[in-house]
Amino acid sequence: MDEKQKALFDACMRQADYFAGRWDCRKMYEWKTTIAIWALLAGGIYVKKPRSLTVELELAAVMLVLLIGYIRFWLIPVWNANNWEKQAGRFYRDQADSIMRGAERIAPLEEAWTVPPGRQAASFWRDWSMLFQMLSVLMLGAIYFIVPGGSK
């Protein structure tokens, strides 16, 4: 490996490390936020007071809107950013590998999103982590309405 290839290899590895670090940091904040939401819902279940049916229905509507907002404005954008950085990090890692094998240059970044034959593209709705977070928040919201309130 000559100096040019070594510099290119080092640059690719720095890029791969950069994207992996951003992904790790975002995953940490993602889970901290989800755990905070779980704690709020569990606390709400614990301190629940009996309410009229009208108030319960209004509260259910508000919770449904909040769940949809949580998915649309938190989980989906986080998943998109995570997916982009995973793809870019893997791309640069693979390019560093090809340089180690003698390549003179790296492929364009657009190739990071080329799905190999026989594989499916990544999908928010097939990601176990996102599904787990959505379903756990939905389950805690449902438990809120199932558990009876304390005495008046």
Side-chain angles (χ1 to χ4, degrees), residues 17-102:
D17 288 343
Y18 170 76
F19 287 117
R22 284 179 53 101
W23 180 59
D24 285 341
C25 187
R26 186 177 301 104
K27 289 297 275 184
M28 180 182 63
Y29 287 121
E30 171 189 344
W31 281 101
K32 284 181 180 180
T33 301
T34 298
I35 290 171
I37 290 170
W38 291 346
L40 287 171
L41 285 169
I45 292 167
Y46 180 74
V47 300
K48 182 179 178 186
K49 304 279 189 247
R51 295 180 179 87
S52 69
L53 180 61
T54 306
V55 172
E56 289 285 328
L57 289 174
E58 289 172 354
L59 192 54
V62 168
M63 282 186 144
L64 183 62
V65 168
L66 289 175
L67 176 67
I68 292 168
Y70 170 69
I71 294 167
R72 173 66 182 99
F73 297 111
W74 175 251
L75 289 181
I76 290 175
V78 165
W79 184 85
N80 285 334
N82 284 345
N83 186 52
W84 193 91
E85 287 176 347
K86 279 191 299 188
Q87 292 290 97
R90 289 175 184 154
F91 169 79
Y92 283 113
R93 184 198 61 212
D94 292 345
Q95 293 306 305
D97 181 57
S98 68
I99 291 166
M100 288 277 295
R101 297 173 189 275

Side-chain angles (χ1 to χ4, degrees), residues 12 18 43 49 55 58 60 85 108 110 119-121 130 134:
C12 285
Y18 170 76
K49 304 279 189 247
V55 172
E58 289 172 354
E85 287 176 347
E110 293 80 32
R119 290 195 63 196
Q120 291 182 325
M130 295 297 152
M134 276 188 294

